[in-house]
Amino acid sequence: MKILVTGGLGFIGSETVLALISSGHTPVIADNLYNSKIGVLGRIETLSGVRPAFYRIDVSDKKALADLFEKERPEAVIHFAGYKAVGESVSKPIMYYRNNLMTTLSLLETMEEFGCENIVFSSSATVYGTPKRVPLYETDKRGETTNPYGETKSMIERILEDACKAFSSLTAVILRYFNPIGAHPSGLLGEDPRGIPNNLMPYIAQVAIGKRDKLHIFGNDYDTADGTGVRDYIHVVDLAEGHVAALKALDGKKGAKVFNLGTGRGTSVLELVHAFEKANGVKIPYVIEDRRPGDVAVNYASVEKAYRELGYKARLTIEDACRDSYNFQLKNPDGII
Ligand code: WQD
């Protein structure tokens, strides 16, 4: 299948493009390079032998999108393009609502215009809000999100559900990621945030190579075994495979379907730090700080539905992800050029 991958040069997008190529699909990449680097395109070619068609466009630009659809005629879209930093979304809410919603609305209007009836959407566990209990099931209601980033994901899920009801020919697969970590084992692709990393794993990796002096752990007074926050960390290579598996759900049975993509296991901040130290033979100095506003104590997935309906199960371990993250950071101390 020819598949448009919006945000296809990003951390998860680029791994997914690789997985699509190795599964015999033809990805076409649209990315505005707001949070990615053009150097990723050459690295995808190095790893796969294929240089996918690349359009440097903003997905909210309907004219540019129409030109792409006219030329490429994609049969499906995997939609990653969007801003994704929780903290930034709290300080810049209008930028997040405008960008994340406008890109999606422009995309859906263009898909309708060109008869493209399949979309896989990159959603997030944050749509569950503060969990009343774990693990979280796809049937759990979308909750009171704790930040504008999460709220845009929740709103887009609702837009897709309503669009599927209105257009009898649209199939939407909504993938709720938990916490993507790790990197491609080659060290050529990985999480390469601009500036100070918001997320835990890239921050640990930068401490490990001496780019940051210590990790700041946001709170050790949560109601968890060691007091630090617990999350469901899934290796980004597994996450990419989950997107290939999700294409099976584009089965012509119209409507919106939701799947959690995680491991089904919770890992605390301190457990991840210790796993990283053990996997790589390094020491990660840290200091305990106050809790971060918007954080929840515990968040992990039930992964039964993806296994039952897609035959999908994450297979890589936390240790694999720690090794791959460190390897990527060592090989790209100043990020991907
Ligand atoms: C994980 C744990 C922090 C940084 C968010 C989004 C999610 C996805 C991933 C995009 C928490 C603690 C973190 C640090 C720390 N977004 N932490 N020190 O907030 O669970 O999820 O990012 O892909 O949709 O909601 O991820 O990595 O920021 O935090 O102690 O320097 O690590 O308190 O317990 P989060 P995270």
Side-chain angles (χ1 to χ4, degrees):
M1 229 187 326
K2 180 179 275 193
I3 301 171
L4 170 60
V5 183
T6 72
L9 292 186
F11 172 39
I12 305 169
S14 55
E15 284 293 351
T16 301
V17 164
L18 274 188
L20 290 171
I21 292 168
S22 59
S23 305
H25 295 289
T26 305
V28 172
I29 298 172
D31 200 307
N32 66 0
L33 303 183
Y34 173 83
N35 190 27
S36 55
K37 309 275 179 53
I38 189 63
V40 170
L41 190 58
R43 294 182 180 210
I44 289 173
E45 183 177 13
T46 303
L47 289 166
S48 68
V50 171
R51 190 178 183 86
F54 169 64
Y55 293 76
R56 181 175 180 173
I57 63 167
D58 193 313
V59 174
S60 57
D61 175 347
K62 284 194 69 180
K63 168 85 180 62
L65 210 46
D67 292 348
L68 184 157
F69 270 74
E70 183 63 48
K71 191 161 174 221
E72 300 293 347
R73 298 283 170 168
E75 297 155 81
V77 179
I78 301 182
H79 181 34
F80 291 105
Y83 298 155
K84 54 156 246 178
V86 170
E88 184 184 57
S89 79
V90 175
S91 56
K92 299 179 181 172
I94 307 300
M95 182 178 106
Y96 270 68
Y97 285 114
R98 164 173 284 282
N99 181 69
N100 291 6
L101 299 179
M102 289 309 287
T103 47
T104 305
L105 294 170
S106 300
L107 182 62
L108 288 171
E109 286 173 334
T110 309
M111 285 175 66
E112 192 192 7
E113 193 184 325
F114 285 87
C116 179
E117 301 175 340
N118 300 297
I119 182 168
V120 176
F121 173 59
S122 158
S123 190
S124 162
T126 39
V127 303
Y128 288 112
T130 304
K132 291 179 182 49
R133 53 102 181 88
V134 283
L136 286 155
Y137 292 83
E138 289 86 349
T139 47
D140 289 332
K141 283 254 165 297
R142 283 192 291 266
E144 192 61 36
T145 56
T146 57
N147 56 76
Y149 155 79
E151 189 59 24
T152 65
K153 294 293 187 182
S154 184
M155 290 167 115
I156 293 166
E157 289 196 7
R158 176 63 196 266
I159 289 167
L160 291 172
E161 288 164 359
D162 289 347
C164 285
K165 285 181 195 133
F167 314 148
S168 56
S169 60
L170 183 65
T171 305
V173 177
I174 294 166
L175 301 179
R176 291 174 181 165
Y177 312 156
F178 282 70
N179 288 58
I181 57 170
H184 190 273
S186 67
L188 285 175
L189 296 179
E191 191 166 8
D192 178 23
R194 292 182 192 283
I196 301 172
N198 287 292
N199 292 133
L200 179 60
M201 182 62 106
Y203 204 107
I204 290 176
Q206 289 188 12
V207 170
I209 65 163
K211 194 168 178 173
R212 310 262 168 218
D213 61 354
K214 58 181 173 295
L215 172 67
H216 302 260
I217 296 182
F218 300 138
N220 68 344
D221 58 349
Y222 285 104
D223 182 15
T224 61
D226 61 23
T228 61
V230 171
R231 297 290 185 275
D232 186 331
Y233 294 100
I234 178 170
H235 196 298
V236 66
V237 171
D238 271 334
L239 192 57
E241 293 300 333
H243 288 76
V244 176
L247 296 174
K248 293 178 203 157
L250 298 175
D251 53 9
K253 290 194 197 97
K254 308 307 169 193
K257 308 165 189 179
V258 181
F259 295 94
N260 287 336
L261 289 189
T263 65
R265 284 184 305 283
T267 302
S268 76
V269 175
L270 279 172
E271 284 169 336
L272 191 63
V273 169
H274 297 147
F276 192 99
E277 291 177 326
K278 186 161 171 264
N280 297 308
V282 296
K283 196 80 192 102
I284 303 292
Y286 63 82
V287 62
I288 303 291
E289 309 267 1
D290 293 338
R291 294 182 178 189
R292 182 174 63 176
D295 273 350
V296 297
V298 182
N299 205 349
Y300 61 89
S302 156
V303 293
E304 291 157 22
K305 184 178 178 188
Y307 185 64
R308 191 174 63 246
E309 296 189 19
L310 304 174
Y312 170 78
K313 195 170 170 57
R315 54 189 173 76
L316 296 169
T317 64
I318 290 282
E319 290 70 27
D320 294 326
C322 290
R323 260 193 304 279
D324 292 335
S325 284
Y326 186 48
N327 179 45
F328 172 75
Q329 199 65 66
L330 280 173
K331 290 183 175 163
N332 304 273
D334 298 318
I336 293 172
I337 310 298

